[in-house]
């Protein structure tokens, strides 16, 4: 591979913090590539900066958020021409909004190798449904449909596909009629040595005769299921539950259930998360797999976080969870929005907890970001070698 191979990344946010994007970029840099990230401008951030070796250029306007905008096509051309002022070999587009820009750049410079890094399974994520106003929901539907069409049109230009799960890779290969396989890259956190002195049990003053369950991150459970879950925990003689998060729903739940004796809430602290998770007995992983195909086929960040913390998991029945269960046998599955099924899965987990904990410990030594991302590094090295010979 030649030392001057440059990877240009397109990103639909200002890169204040984006763990997946930054891990990928640093991995490329550590493998000998140059990396430039073109992302969205922000008045509170510098136009250009270098972070961990990543050249960040905040030149994009948020025009891509409005595909029906009157200046949409003009801005596509404007930014394509600006980016093509730099010489590069590989174009790495993060997620669907900037795929039309990536495809236009590829059209103008066909020799460029184009990768679509699909963070979301857009066709399985009809986000407009959560818009409260009927008028805005209709507008959201039309925008979603246009973005789906833009994504599919742009997919004709791609040379490689990255996704967050093998199930999404298979689904997008079929949808786009691709002649090649996608590469699954789960968002595995950077591993760290667990600090055994950090104990949520001690912090929350939970007795040793109660097993501590934890729910980390976004809460996707319906309100009725939350009520049933909290009633189940409070009526149990051997369970406690802690929610870790920083979304508004955590504040709402904390206020509503402040009198619940065995329910606890703590704020999300990224530097302490794996240590805190490791001090619990089992994690809860609930996704809306019935409502959203993206959830059903996806692999959530918390699945990987629980794994890196060596935490057995009680999770909804879906492909990514089934895969890890078959590999490590540390997961008990339950049916979404079914408290009876959840209770059964929890009972199975508690009955087999020593075995499940031992199995979960093996994950920390088997999963790593470096191993997960290696196929992409190998692919890009081959591309660079081909271009060097051309």
């Amino acid at each position: 591979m030649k030392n001057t191979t440059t990877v240009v990344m397109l990103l639909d946010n200002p890169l204040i913090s984006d763990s997946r994007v930054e891990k990928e970029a640093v991995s490329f840099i550590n493998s000998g590539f140059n990396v430039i990230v073109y992302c969205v401008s922000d008045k509170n951030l510098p136009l250009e900066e270098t972070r961990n070796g990543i050249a960040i250029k905040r030149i994009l306007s948020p025009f891509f958020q409005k595909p029906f905008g009157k200046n949409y096509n003009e801005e596509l051309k404007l930014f394509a021409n600006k980016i093509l002022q730099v010489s590069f070999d590989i174009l790495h587009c993060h997620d669907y909004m900037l795929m039309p820009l990536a495809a236009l750049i590829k059209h103008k410079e066909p020799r460029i190798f184009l990768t679509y890094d699909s963070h979301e399974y857009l066709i399985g994520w009809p986000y407009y449904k959560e818009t409260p106003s009927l008028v805005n929901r209709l507008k959201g539907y039309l925008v979603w449909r246009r973005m789906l069409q833009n994504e599919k049109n742009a997919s004709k230009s791609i040379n490689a596909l990255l996704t967050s799960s093998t199930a999404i890779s298979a689904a997008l290969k079929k949808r786009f009629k691709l002649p090649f396989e996608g590469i699954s890259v789960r968002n595995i956190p950077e591993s760290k040595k667990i600090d055994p002195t950090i104990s949520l049990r001690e912090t929350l003053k939970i007795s040793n005769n109660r097993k501590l369950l934890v729910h980390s991150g976004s809460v996707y459970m319906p309100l009725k299921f939350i009520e049933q879950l909290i009633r189940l925990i409070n009526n149990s003689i051997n369970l406690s539950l802690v929610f870790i998060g920083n979304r508004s729903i955590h504040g709402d739940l904390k206020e509503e259930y402040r009198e619940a004796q065995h329910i606890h809430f703590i704020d999300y602290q990224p530097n302490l998360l794996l240590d805190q998770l490791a001090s619990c007995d089992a994690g809860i992983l609930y996704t809306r797999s019935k409502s959203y195909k993206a959830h059903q086929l996806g692999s959530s960040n918390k699945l990987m976080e629980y794994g890196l913390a060596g935490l057995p998991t009680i999770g909804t029945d879906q492909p990514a969870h089934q895969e890890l269960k078959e590999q490590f046998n540390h997961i008990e599955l339950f049916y979404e929005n079914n408290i009876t099924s959840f209770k059964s899965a929890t009972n199975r987990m508690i009955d087999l907890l020593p075995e499940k904990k031992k199995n979960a410990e093996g994950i920390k030594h088997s999963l790593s970001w470096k191993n997960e991302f290696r196929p992409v590094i190998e692919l890009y090295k081959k591309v660079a070698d081909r271009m060097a010979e051309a």
Side-chain angles (χ1 to χ4, degrees):
M1 186 190 80
K2 60 180 182 177
N3 293 329
T4 55
T5 301
T6 296
V7 177
V8 161
M9 290 184 164
L10 302 180
L11 182 63
D12 60 8
N13 65 65
L15 194 52
I16 298 172
S17 176
D18 194 319
S19 65
R20 181 183 178 98
V21 173
E22 293 181 74
K23 282 187 297 186
E24 291 185 8
V26 169
S27 296
F28 288 136
I29 291 169
N30 290 342
S31 299
F33 294 90
N34 299 322
V35 176
I36 304 172
V37 178
Y38 287 96
C39 54
V40 180
S41 61
D42 186 308
K43 64 181 181 180
N44 298 316
L45 296 170
L47 182 65
E48 296 188 8
E49 68 169 299
T50 299
R51 184 192 305 166
N52 297 324
I54 310 165
I56 302 171
K57 299 181 183 293
R58 298 184 177 91
I59 69 165
L60 301 178
S61 72
F63 77 96
F64 51 83
Q65 297 174 1
K66 298 178 180 179
F68 293 108
K70 63 179 181 179
N71 296 324
Y72 183 85
N73 291 328
E74 288 76 8
E75 299 224 45
L76 269 183
K77 296 173 186 176
L78 170 67
F79 290 116
N81 291 334
K82 281 187 177 182
I83 291 169
L84 282 169
Q85 291 175 6
V86 173
S87 177
F88 60 95
D89 302 307
I90 299 172
L91 181 60
H92 190 113
C93 182
H94 288 281
D95 226 9
Y96 60 91
M97 284 192 181
L98 291 174
M99 274 295 284
L101 176 59
L104 181 57
I105 292 171
K106 170 81 172 180
H107 176 74
K108 289 175 174 286
E109 191 59 71
R111 69 168 189 83
I112 290 173
F113 186 93
L114 173 57
T115 295
Y116 177 28
D117 193 339
S118 177
H119 296 196
E120 300 286 352
Y121 182 55
L122 181 59
I123 196 170
W125 183 46
Y127 56 83
Y128 64 89
K129 289 184 177 181
E130 298 181 10
T131 305
S133 163
L134 179 60
V135 172
N136 289 334
R137 191 154 59 246
L138 177 59
K139 290 179 180 177
Y141 169 76
L142 295 175
V143 169
W144 178 70
R145 292 299 305 178
R146 172 60 65 88
M147 287 184 171
L148 277 174
Q149 190 59 53
N150 286 348
E151 179 194 41
K152 191 169 185 179
N153 291 341
S155 71
K156 298 172 184 177
S157 303
I158 68 175
N159 303 104
L161 171 70
L162 307 187
T163 70
S164 60
S165 74
T166 55
I168 290 179
S169 286
L172 286 183
K173 178 184 178 181
K174 181 178 180 181
R175 170 171 162 74
F176 298 151
K177 300 179 181 178
L178 299 176
F180 52 82
E181 300 293 329
I183 301 175
S184 171
V185 179
R186 296 166 296 182
N187 196 18
I188 298 175
E190 296 288 356
S191 59
K192 61 166 286 186
K193 186 177 181 180
I194 299 298
D195 184 350
T197 65
I198 295 176
S199 171
L200 286 184
R201 180 179 295 278
E202 293 181 6
T203 300
L204 301 173
K205 297 180 172 55
I206 297 171
S207 65
N208 290 327
N209 64 350
R210 302 190 78 89
K211 303 303 180 185
L212 179 55
L213 307 183
V214 59
H215 181 287
S216 174
S218 299
V219 179
Y220 295 119
M221 305 170 186
L223 289 177
K224 183 179 179 180
F225 186 89
I226 293 174
E227 293 171 2
Q228 294 172 324
L229 171 63
I230 289 177
R231 190 181 308 119
L232 171 66
I233 300 297
N234 271 338
N235 291 338
S236 169
I237 62 171
N238 65 344
L239 294 176
S240 291
L241 171 63
V242 56
F243 287 91
I244 301 176
N246 58 3
R247 302 290 178 90
S248 59
I249 189 171
H250 287 88
D252 295 341
L253 292 176
K254 183 177 181 179
E255 176 63 23
E256 183 172 357
Y257 294 105
R258 62 184 182 276
E259 301 297 331
Q261 186 176 358
H262 302 297
I263 308 299
H264 309 271
F265 298 87
I266 63 172
D267 294 334
Y268 168 67
Q269 300 177 71
N271 295 335
L272 297 179
L273 180 62
L274 290 184
D275 301 312
Q276 292 171 333
L277 293 178
S279 71
C280 299
D281 292 298
I284 297 174
L285 208 172
Y286 187 107
T287 65
R288 295 173 292 188
S289 55
K290 289 181 180 178
S291 308
Y292 291 97
K293 197 76 171 179
H295 277 216
Q296 182 188 80
L297 301 184
S299 176
S300 68
N301 290 348
K302 71 181 69 174
L303 175 64
M304 298 295 108
E305 290 166 349
Y306 288 169
L308 265 291
L311 187 66
T313 301
I314 305 165
T316 43
D317 191 355
Q318 61 193 82
H321 302 172
Q322 293 163 357
E323 288 176 8
L324 272 195
K325 176 182 171 66
E326 291 171 7
Q327 186 176 359
F328 297 104
N329 192 27
H330 72 299
I331 297 178
E332 287 297 333
L333 301 174
F334 69 95
Y335 297 118
E336 175 192 350
N337 203 19
N338 186 323
I339 195 65
T340 302
S341 178
F342 175 84
K343 183 178 180 180
S344 297
T346 302
N347 289 339
R348 292 194 302 272
M349 177 63 73
I350 300 304
D351 290 343
L352 300 171
L353 194 57
E355 175 188 340
K356 296 294 184 181
K357 282 190 172 183
K358 183 178 179 181
N359 294 343
E361 281 292 318
I363 299 177
K364 294 189 290 186
H365 309 293
S366 301
L367 296 182
S368 73
W369 173 257
K370 183 177 180 180
N371 289 339
E372 191 78 3
F373 204 60
R374 183 175 288 120
V376 184
I377 297 295
E378 292 175 351
L379 172 63
Y380 279 19
K381 285 182 175 180
K382 290 178 182 177
V383 172
D385 289 341
R386 287 201 304 266
M387 290 189 171
E389 295 169 359

